[in-house]
Amino acid sequence: MKIHIKKDDTVEVMAGESRGTQGRVVSVDRDKYRAIVEGVNIVSKHTKPSAANPQGGISKVEAPVHISNLLVVDPKSGKGARVGFKKDSEGKSVRYFKKSGEEV
């Protein structure tokens, strides 16, 4: 299955607690179909004291979001839009917005 989201894309969250928020994709896990998005799905993580962090404590970290809950943001409209794949003139597979027809 092809993944329609890549690193450094701007995406909008469609479902969940962070619904409607937009952010930049930090990383994509292709095996689990999950992506980490800046400022989305923030959870509290308890850390033990260590040499790097002698105090320890609770830190806020972004947790992965399933890619089915993400839409790539179309720069023209500023909203999330569906993405498809098509071949360009050279035969390469490129992503495009289904509504506007523009390439991503």
Side-chain angles (χ1 to χ4, degrees):
M1 186 167 117
K2 279 222 173 188
I3 293 182
H4 60 277
I5 290 172
K6 292 185 179 180
K7 185 178 174 181
D8 291 329
D9 280 346
T10 304
V11 294
E12 182 176 345
V13 181
M14 295 180 351
E17 196 173 303
S18 303
R19 181 181 182 171
T21 58
Q22 294 183 1
R24 188 179 61 85
V25 176
V26 177
S27 68
V28 177
D29 185 357
R30 299 178 72 79
D31 298 329
K32 296 181 181 176
Y33 297 107
R34 293 187 167 269
I36 295 178
V37 183
E38 254 179 18
V40 173
N41 198 20
I42 306 241
V43 294
S44 297
K45 183 171 172 130
H46 297 261
T47 55
K48 282 180 138 182
S50 65
N53 186 9
Q55 187 66 27
I58 302 170
S59 59
K60 300 283 184 181
V61 181
E62 290 132 353
V65 179
H66 199 272
I67 61 161
S68 65
N69 296 326
L70 300 175
L71 280 176
V72 181
V73 174
D74 189 352
K76 276 189 173 179
S77 65
K79 295 181 182 176
R82 290 170 59 200
V83 173
F85 291 92
K86 65 180 178 182
K87 301 281 184 186
D88 65 353
S89 59
E90 300 169 4
K92 272 183 122 179
S93 181
V94 294
R95 298 181 300 162
Y96 74 100
F97 291 109
K98 291 199 171 201
K99 201 167 199 173
S100 65
E102 296 281 324
E103 288 186 7
V104 178

